[in-house]
Amino acid sequence: DESMEDLIHFAIAYEGVGHTDPDYYAMALIQNMIGSWNRLDATNFSNASFLTEVFAEGQWGGSKPRVHSYQAFTTSYHETGLFGTYVVAPTHPHHGIDYDLEYVTKAICQEPFKIAQRSVLAAQLDRAKAQLKAAILAHLDGTTPVCMNLGQSILTLGRTISPAELFMRIDAVSTKDIQRACDRFSEPSVVALGSTDAFSDYNQIARWSVTNLK
């Protein structure tokens, strides 16, 4: 596709959790800790994650960021789910190798392991809880989203859940819960579109996803 000649769009995802899984809220908090960033949105830095700080740096000391945007996502179904990160990045291959793209891909694969091992995990978790609760309240600002939330709760759980109960469940997530949930990520699913010539092959991405930072 000539319109995407210098860009790559890719997603790396793992099996997630269902709506009733004990790690449901831990996954939501991990999504928040991985975060999201878009170079066109200057407000992103107010909620900067570790990946945001890394990806927004200029390439080899230049002024261009390593990615145009990235976003962690988690989608839950009845018994399973999907957890991953979607990235849009420029490509600059040199003799078939794009070192920035390889750096970004490896960082995406290893971020869950790094979250589980960071000494600042407790502080990062507290910030993620506050941000998640704020996002929930913002989402419920209006009759339409409130009705949608009620319908979704009844369809997935068989009953409604109040914001107070949601907050209690979020607050109950511990650092050990986060570490256990991060350990569930194993074999990735990968999809890429655009300038993919220098994109890492599946076997390399799989190794980065299961070898704990090696």
Side-chain angles (χ1 to χ4, degrees), residues 7-13 67 85-94 96-109 188-206 208-209:
L7 288 177
I8 181 170
H9 296 241
F10 70 91
I12 300 174
V67 303
T85 306
Y86 169 68
V87 181
V88 180
T91 58
H92 301 92
H94 182 67
I97 300 174
D98 188 326
Y99 293 101
D100 264 319
L101 181 58
E102 182 178 277
Y103 179 93
V104 166
T105 308
K106 184 176 181 180
I108 289 291
C109 294
S189 296
V190 183
V191 61
L193 176 69
S195 182
T196 61
D197 291 345
F199 189 51
S200 301
D201 65 44
Y202 177 83
N203 291 330
Q204 180 62 73
I205 293 172
W208 286 333
S209 298

Side-chain angles (χ1 to χ4, degrees), residues 33 115-126 175 178-179:
M33 285 188 277
I115 285 175
Q117 295 178 13
R118 285 192 181 108
S119 60
V120 295
L121 175 56
Q124 192 179 10
L125 178 57
D126 287 341
T175 55
I178 296 295
Q179 291 166 340

Side-chain angles (χ1 to χ4, degrees), residues 110-152:
Q110 297 190 336
E111 183 61 13
F113 301 120
K114 290 186 176 182
I115 285 175
Q117 295 178 13
R118 285 192 181 108
S119 60
V120 295
L121 175 56
Q124 192 179 10
L125 178 57
D126 287 341
R127 183 176 69 171
K129 288 178 178 179
Q131 291 175 350
L132 181 57
K133 288 187 281 190
I136 290 173
L137 289 178
H139 176 69
L140 296 177
D141 185 19
T143 55
T144 298
V146 167
C147 290
M148 291 178 62
N149 183 67
L150 291 173
Q152 184 182 37

Side-chain angles (χ1 to χ4, degrees), residues 150-163:
L150 291 173
Q152 184 182 37
S153 295
I154 292 173
L155 286 173
T156 57
L157 302 174
R159 67 183 184 88
T160 61
I161 297 182
S162 67

Side-chain angles (χ1 to χ4, degrees), residues 28-59:
L29 289 164
I30 295 169
Q31 176 196 3
N32 189 284
M33 285 188 277
I34 292 176
S36 62
W37 182 76
N38 189 310
R39 66 173 185 163
L40 300 179
D41 185 357
T43 65
N44 283 170
F45 285 102
S46 63
N47 295 321
S49 68
F50 283 95
L51 279 187
T52 295
E53 296 171 6
V54 169
F55 288 170
E57 292 177 355
Q59 297 173 343

Side-chain angles (χ1 to χ4, degrees), residues 154-177:
I154 292 173
L155 286 173
T156 57
L157 302 174
R159 67 183 184 88
T160 61
I161 297 182
S162 67
E165 183 178 350
L166 281 175
F167 292 175
M168 180 182 69
R169 294 187 177 198
I170 292 169
D171 287 334
V173 176
S174 67
T175 55
K176 289 184 178 180
D177 295 328

